[in-house]
């Protein structure tokens, strides 16, 4: 879904809300070093765990929206929040946390 190139290095907002994607959240999200807003809202066909090691690389992330996702991690990994020091807004409303 994401290829590592000049475009992804410059990307500051990534919103794939409500798409009918299947599979898992790709670890390549960690390559988006300039990303400030990431919305994976209502991707309820996505399964598996979040790629925590990759998400911790998003040092510029200010907004993370995971509303309505099926996330196979519970409780929500608070160590991720400790690494995202720029994070101002987190939403996991209606997310299904299991694990």
């Amino acid at each position: 879904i994401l290829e590592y190139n000049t475009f992804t290095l410059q990307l500051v907002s990534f919103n794939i809300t409500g798409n009918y994607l299947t599979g898992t959240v790709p670890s390549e999200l960690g390559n988006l070093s300039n990303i400030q807003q990431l919305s994976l809202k209502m991707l309820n066909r996505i399964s598996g765990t979040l790629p925590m090691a990759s998400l911790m690389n998003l040092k510029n992330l200010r907004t993370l929206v995971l509303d309505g996702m099926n996330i196979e991690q519970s409780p929500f990994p608070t160590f991720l929040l400790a690494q995202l020091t720029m994070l101002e807004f987190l939403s996991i409303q209606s997310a299904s946390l299991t694990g």
Side-chain angles (χ1 to χ4, degrees), residues 67-79:
D67 295 351
M69 284 193 62
N70 296 321
I71 303 169
E72 294 178 11
Q73 286 165 316
S74 184
F76 190 81
T78 55
F79 65 87

Side-chain angles (χ1 to χ4, degrees), residues 9-98:
L9 290 175
Q10 297 172 1
L11 193 65
V12 293
S13 181
F14 188 57
N15 182 341
I16 54 173
T17 298
N19 285 289
Y20 292 99
L21 300 174
T22 59
T24 60
V25 176
S27 62
E28 289 82 4
L29 282 177
N31 295 338
L32 302 175
S33 57
N34 290 320
I35 198 83
Q36 295 178 16
Q37 298 176 347
L38 177 60
S39 179
L40 306 176
K41 182 177 181 179
M42 300 306 291
L43 296 180
N44 51 11
R45 293 181 181 200
I46 296 290
S47 62
T49 60
L50 292 173
M52 291 303 154
S54 296
L55 292 179
M56 287 191 294
N57 291 332
L58 305 179
K59 301 297 184 190
N60 294 312
L61 192 64
R62 295 180 181 275
T63 301
L64 178 59
V65 179
L66 303 173
D67 295 351
M69 284 193 62
N70 296 321
I71 303 169
E72 294 178 11
Q73 286 165 316
S74 184
F76 190 81
T78 55
F79 65 87
L80 172 65
L81 303 179
Q83 296 296 316
L84 301 176
T85 58
M86 299 295 288
L87 194 66
E88 297 172 351
F89 181 80
L90 169 67
S91 183
I92 54 173
Q93 182 179 4
S94 299
S96 175
L97 298 170
T98 61

